[in-house]
Amino acid sequence: MPDPIIQLYKLNKNYSMAESIVAALQNVSLDINHGEWLAIVGASGSGKSTLLHLIGLLDTPSSGRYLLNGN
């Protein structure tokens, strides 16, 4: 089996809101393989859009590792 196209390892995204920090994502790990379909579902405010922004390289994670085709 070929290597995954997208690999996320313990991805975190935090936002500063006034005097507090909001954790939008905590320790998300995921492999997406070529030709694979997936659905991202969850309640409002659970981090779906944040995850899609990170996967689409529209935003950067606060910590963790993102690999696209192994890089």
Side-chain angles (χ1 to χ4, degrees), residues 6-7 9 19 22 50 58 63:
I6 294 174
Q7 296 173 284
Y9 297 104
E19 295 181 11
V22 175
T50 299
L58 298 173
S63 64

Side-chain angles (χ1 to χ4, degrees), residues 24-40:
L25 292 177
Q26 294 180 347
N27 293 321
V28 174
S29 295
L30 172 69
D31 288 348
I32 302 174
N33 297 305
H34 180 75
E36 190 170 52
W37 288 65
L38 73 128
I40 299 173

Side-chain angles (χ1 to χ4, degrees), residues 58-71:
L58 298 173
D59 201 357
T60 56
S62 300
S63 64
R65 193 167 168 202
Y66 177 109
L67 295 175
L68 178 62
N69 289 322
N71 296 311

Side-chain angles (χ1 to χ4, degrees), residues 5-59:
I5 293 173
I6 294 174
Q7 296 173 284
L8 310 178
Y9 297 104
K10 297 186 177 181
L11 220 58
N12 295 287
K13 181 63 181 181
N14 300 319
Y15 293 102
S16 296
M17 302 288 282
E19 295 181 11
S20 63
I21 298 203
V22 175
L25 292 177
Q26 294 180 347
N27 293 321
V28 174
S29 295
L30 172 69
D31 288 348
I32 302 174
N33 297 305
H34 180 75
E36 190 170 52
W37 288 65
L38 73 128
I40 299 173
V41 296
S44 177
S46 63
K48 299 177 302 291
S49 294
T50 299
L51 178 60
L52 288 173
H53 284 120
L54 293 172
I55 289 173
L57 301 174
L58 298 173
D59 201 357

